Amino acid sequence: MPSEFEAKAVVDVNGELIHYAIRMVDARSAQQREQDYLHGGPAGSVMVVVPGHGQGIHGPKKLMAAAARLSRSKIAWCIDPVPARGGDHVEGQAIARIARAKLQATFPAGYARASATLIGWSHGASEALRAAGDAPELFPQFLGLCPLGLVDRRPGQLVGSFLIEASRILWNSIRQRRWTCLSDALRLGLNAGTGLARDLRHSRSARRLVEDIGWAGKKVTGSTFRYPGQVALLFGVQDTVVRWQDVFPECAKPEQIDSTLGTYGREAFPEASDVQVRVIEGTHVAPESNASTYLQTGLGLLGQLDSTAVPLGRTQVT
């Protein structure tokens, strides 16, 4: 059975003390732990998951389990920083500092060779993109799941599309009696609501919550985004919050994306070593409800998939 550990701490970012929570899942066998110890580092990159808006470290439970089970390193960390001010820029810097410190503490002998793959889901992708841009040597790979940060979105538009998507998922789950999907959606909604209430209590400012949504809707990529690593982007066919059509408006079908990917990569990720895109089944919550499929695809694109891992049965796509 995988071992799990949680902690809360504080990290200093440019004079601001950032409170954060971290959840760590270690699915390595005793033999792999011994090999990692002898080699001074993990077999692959540590998976660092950045959850969506309002979610805490317990939101992406299935995503974390799949990241640990399917990755070469067998190690996944979920990091949730909560700054009192500064938005996603500060959160991105905090994620980098926290991950660097944890890598150094976990693999002191091989810290110089250790690296992490950033996995950002929804709003978490916006934060993860900024972290990757700030510390590309630490995060040589980025995986965006239904990712924000690729186009500009107005706060009202973002909130409205999310509410419509949530209502549609709940209605379809009830109508089709997909109780597992319904349970995942309700759990994520409760987790996000709790997280937003926590943020409000911490910042004591409703304005700050609105500003956070504004941060989430800002475009991160473009000519000034100098991230040199590997990039993989996964979109859900039925996702109405983050639509692949908004990122690739010239494409009528997902199959046409490959023909425009070269141009898109040069414009959005001008220094990236590789940019790959896939559009697969699922709504905005599919990276959690169908985590195995999303991570098999994403980690496979980045070369971090453990070929010996036996995927669990596929859950219903939502």
Side-chain angles (χ1 to χ4, degrees), residues 4-247:
E4 298 187 18
F5 178 75
E6 298 175 12
K8 293 183 178 180
V10 177
V11 62
D12 187 296
V13 178
N14 302 326
E16 180 180 354
L17 295 180
I18 309 298
H19 294 261
Y20 72 89
I22 183 170
R23 177 168 171 253
M24 294 168 276
V25 178
D26 189 337
R28 292 178 296 173
S29 64
Q31 181 181 9
Q32 186 169 351
R33 289 171 186 264
E34 183 178 357
Q35 290 175 343
D36 289 353
Y37 175 78
L38 293 175
H39 295 154
S45 290
V46 172
M47 302 292 110
V48 175
V49 176
V50 185
H53 192 70
Q55 290 185 30
I57 56 175
H58 296 289
K61 289 177 63 176
K62 293 182 178 179
L63 185 60
M64 280 286 290
R69 180 171 50 82
L70 295 174
S71 66
R72 290 168 52 206
S73 70
K74 300 297 184 186
I75 301 170
W77 301 338
C78 184
I79 299 175
D80 179 32
V82 187
R85 60 183 187 276
D88 282 359
H89 285 294
V90 173
E91 292 189 15
Q93 293 175 338
I95 290 167
R97 297 194 182 194
I98 295 164
R100 182 177 284 111
K102 291 300 179 184
L103 277 175
Q104 192 166 14
T106 307
F107 302 104
Y111 167 69
R113 299 188 302 275
S115 64
T117 294
L118 271 173
I119 303 175
W121 174 21
S122 188
H123 174 204
S126 178
E127 299 175 21
L129 279 168
R130 290 187 169 92
D134 287 338
E137 77 290 345
L138 178 65
F139 303 119
Q141 296 173 323
F142 168 79
L143 172 58
L145 307 176
C146 302
L148 284 167
L150 305 180
V151 296
D152 283 318
R153 299 285 299 277
R154 297 189 303 275
Q157 179 191 43
L158 195 57
V159 172
S161 63
F162 180 81
L163 292 176
I164 292 172
E165 175 92 342
S167 300
R168 187 169 63 88
I169 291 171
L170 291 175
W171 169 246
N172 287 337
S173 297
I174 294 172
R175 182 171 58 87
Q176 299 170 12
R177 299 187 177 185
R178 298 159 68 180
W179 307 125
T180 299
C181 298
L182 178 63
S183 175
D184 286 337
L186 291 174
R187 176 174 57 80
L188 289 170
L190 177 62
N191 184 261
T194 302
L196 290 173
R198 175 207 59 191
D199 291 351
L200 181 61
R201 184 176 65 253
H202 182 70
S203 64
R204 298 180 181 179
S205 171
R207 180 181 177 182
R208 164 61 201 281
L209 293 182
V210 176
E211 289 176 346
D212 271 353
I213 298 173
W215 279 109
K218 289 184 179 295
K219 183 179 179 180
V220 179
T221 58
S223 60
T224 61
F225 187 63
R226 301 296 183 180
Y227 177 62
Q230 285 181 276
V231 176
L233 306 174
L234 302 186
F235 298 90
V237 174
Q238 293 84 17
D239 188 356
T240 59
V241 179
V242 178
R243 300 170 67 249
W244 65 267
Q245 296 94 330
D246 294 335
V247 183

